[in-house]
Amino acid sequence: MHLLTLGLNHTTAPLTIRERVAFGPDEIAATISKILLRLSGVESGEISEVLILSTCNRTELYVACEDPDLAQGALETFLAEEKGLRLTELTPHTYALIDNEAVRHAYSVASGLDSMVLGETQIVGQMKKAEKAARSAKGLGLMLNTLFQRTFNVAKEVRTATEIGAHSVSMASAAVRLANRLYGELTDLNVLFVGAGEMIELCAAHFSAQNPRSMTIANRSLDKGEALAARFGAASMKLADLPNRIANFDIIVSCTASALPIIGLGMIERAIKARLHRPIFIVDLAVPRDVEEEVARLDDVYVYTVDDLGQVVQSGKAERQAAVVESQAIIDRHVREFSDWLQARSAVPTIEVMCSRAQELAQRDLLIAKRHLKHGADIDKTLDRFAHDLVKKLLHDNLTLLKDAHNLSATERDHLCQAFKHFYLERKR
């Protein structure tokens, strides 16, 4: 059994590709079921476990399979078909990582080393949600369950033992920085947050510290929007009211799970006209994007995507390089431990066969010994005979292997003899 990670992220694929292959929360379970149903055959690499991680910066499929090369091809074809892409559009942006490299990647992602914001903590929460979703969809088995439980422990150790999160500039604080560049102080401005998820919550906390004139939460679920608004002393509104009220806001921060844009060109054109061309600052943190691409071309509108903010959050990276080196050393150690576990798992079928064979031989000789005792044979002699015969039979397969070693190459014979020598002589000392 092998581990395989197939994915693309902010370093390998532009936003235009990432938003097309992203999976919404309501797609995950069905997609895992499809993969397990369609790609479990020999021709697809016998995929038996699946976890999907889809965020604004990455879409990654973690699988357990028998043949990673076949599984990679099958997953690329599946992903392209599922998302309406040609393979030639998808594969230049993907990466495939096998076994130890897949493990190292999972550990690095959870520890914030592979994020647009170096050392950010949000990703480990997203990975835990992905693990929970995969478990509910029956996509986890021994391999992926072990990988992700260890991944979360590694991430915790990295954040505890290093300063990887120090000097970090979050997406939310970067959005505030850009707003300050445009407007200066925000005390006379009205801020609208579209959505009510974790990212919007973080942004609301950062903008609230700037004491804007007002803050409003717009969300499909009014109850969820009202609950978040109450935490920050903000107002709430229905998402359906957005077209009629959007002109009232100077700053708009949007991050929803919508598959299609919810802020269109026509909506913003009307808003600009109603505002007499006073500027609107828009931060679109969603993938797929919440704001139509054409909106950025309008005068008096300043649109920043998640990739644009990525340029801002690079500050402080140099100060964290020592922590990166320390983090990688921790990850290297845990990768070796996982590799040892994988190798031990690969020996399990052989061990099970050996144990079954030994048990069979022992039971057969034990029955003979019991029969002799039942007929009055001497106990000591019977036990001696039982031990002698059992040892002889247990060694028989190994001795036969050594006798037939002349059929092997010189190198193979040497390896075989060294293995026996290590087991029978070194362990005796």
Side-chain angles (χ1 to χ4, degrees):
M1 187 68 71
H2 296 275
L3 282 169
L4 168 67
T5 299
L6 178 75
L8 49 79
N9 63 23
H10 60 284
T11 64
T12 69
L15 180 57
T16 52
I17 295 295
R18 297 204 311 275
E19 64 184 353
R20 292 181 67 182
V21 302
F23 288 94
D26 56 343
E27 297 179 88
I28 298 294
T31 304
I32 288 175
S33 297
K34 285 181 186 177
I35 293 174
L36 292 175
L37 180 64
R38 298 181 189 176
L39 307 183
S40 60
V42 174
E43 69 283 355
S44 300
E46 298 182 70
I47 294 174
S48 57
E49 301 178 36
V50 184
L51 180 145
I52 298 174
L53 175 64
S54 189
T55 73
C56 58
N57 287 333
R58 70 185 67 249
T59 292
E60 295 178 338
L61 280 67
Y62 294 80
V63 305
C65 61
E66 291 296 337
D67 189 324
D69 291 331
L70 290 177
Q72 177 186 344
L75 285 172
E76 287 175 338
T77 300
F78 173 87
L79 190 57
E81 291 176 352
E82 195 75 5
K83 293 301 182 178
L85 288 163
R86 295 188 301 274
L87 273 174
T88 52
E89 293 179 284
L90 176 67
T91 54
H93 305 290
T94 60
Y95 45 82
L97 307 167
I98 299 171
D99 292 338
N100 285 353
E101 290 310 308
V103 176
R104 186 185 309 280
H105 181 74
Y107 291 172
S108 297
V109 170
S111 300
L113 298 185
D114 195 61
S115 297
M116 185 179 288
V117 182
L118 182 62
E120 59 99 359
T121 58
Q122 190 178 10
I123 184 62
V124 72
Q126 294 168 325
M127 293 181 81
K128 287 182 178 179
K129 288 180 181 178
E131 188 268 349
K132 184 178 180 180
R135 186 179 302 280
S136 297
K138 300 188 181 342
L140 296 188
L142 177 64
M143 191 74 80
L144 290 187
N145 181 67
T146 302
L147 171 64
F148 279 89
Q149 295 313 311
R150 294 192 179 201
T151 293
F152 302 143
N153 290 334
V154 171
K156 183 178 180 180
E157 181 177 342
V158 166
R159 297 185 190 283
T160 302
T162 74
E163 294 188 2
I164 190 64
H167 314 290
S168 179
V169 179
S170 69
M171 288 287 187
S173 60
V176 171
R177 282 189 182 187
L178 290 172
N180 288 143
R181 289 180 188 175
L182 179 62
Y183 293 111
E185 292 187 358
L186 309 184
T187 50
D188 293 328
L189 303 177
N190 301 311
V191 183
L192 172 67
F193 299 101
V194 184
E198 185 179 353
M199 181 59 79
I200 290 296
E201 183 178 349
L202 291 171
C203 289
H206 279 77
F207 275 94
S208 178
Q210 299 290 310
N211 299 311
R213 176 188 294 165
S214 73
M215 297 200 312
T216 303
I217 309 289
N219 195 53
R220 277 198 175 86
S221 169
L222 190 57
D223 290 344
K224 189 174 181 181
E226 288 176 342
L228 181 59
R231 291 186 53 192
F232 296 100
S236 62
M237 60 181 274
K238 295 179 181 177
L239 194 60
D241 294 336
L242 196 59
N244 296 326
R245 295 185 56 185
I246 197 166
N248 298 330
F249 301 99
D250 308 289
I251 297 173
I252 301 166
V253 181
S254 187
C255 187
T256 75
S258 175
L260 297 172
I262 57 178
I263 299 176
L265 178 63
M267 185 189 301
I268 298 300
E269 284 178 329
R270 290 189 294 273
I272 285 294
K273 185 176 180 180
R275 290 171 59 84
L276 303 178
H277 294 275
R278 283 182 293 117
I280 299 179
F281 173 78
I282 303 175
V283 176
D284 185 359
L285 295 173
V287 178
R289 281 175 280 190
D290 283 341
V291 182
E292 285 186 347
E293 191 173 357
E294 294 77 11
V295 172
R297 300 172 190 162
L298 294 174
D299 292 334
D300 306 309
V301 180
Y302 301 86
V303 180
Y304 292 87
T305 67
V306 66
D307 283 2
D308 296 326
L309 265 66
Q311 302 301 314
V312 180
V313 302
Q314 296 305 312
S315 61
K317 191 170 183 177
E319 292 89 338
R320 296 195 294 278
Q321 286 308 305
V324 169
V325 173
E326 294 174 8
S327 301
Q328 288 172 339
I330 292 172
I331 288 171
D332 287 344
R333 171 166 53 83
H334 284 285
V335 168
R336 289 193 295 271
E337 290 176 359
F338 195 94
S339 179
D340 291 342
W341 179 81
L342 274 180
Q343 290 179 8
R345 288 297 307 166
S346 67
V348 167
T350 303
I351 293 171
E352 289 176 344
V353 170
M354 292 173 66
C355 290
S356 177
R357 170 68 171 162
Q359 188 68 24
E360 178 187 345
L361 294 173
Q363 286 297 323
R364 191 181 303 166
D365 280 5
L366 185 59
L367 286 174
I368 295 172
K370 286 181 177 180
R371 194 180 307 127
H372 289 164
L373 291 173
K374 187 177 180 180
H375 290 86
D378 181 77
I379 294 178
D380 289 337
K381 290 182 179 180
T382 301
L383 291 177
D384 285 343
R385 185 65 187 175
F386 167 73
H388 176 271
D389 289 346
L390 182 58
V391 168
K392 185 177 179 181
K393 289 175 180 177
L394 288 174
L395 288 175
H396 178 267
D397 292 339
N398 291 341
L399 293 173
T400 300
L401 190 60
L402 282 172
K403 289 177 182 176
D404 292 341
H406 63 274
N407 295 320
L408 304 175
S409 68
T411 302
E412 290 172 328
R413 281 197 304 273
D414 183 60
H415 287 168
L416 182 63
C417 291
Q418 289 297 324
F420 277 112
K421 180 181 178 182
H422 172 76
F423 187 80
Y424 287 106
L425 295 182
E426 297 296 332
R427 293 193 175 210
K428 187 178 178 181
R429 295 175 181 174

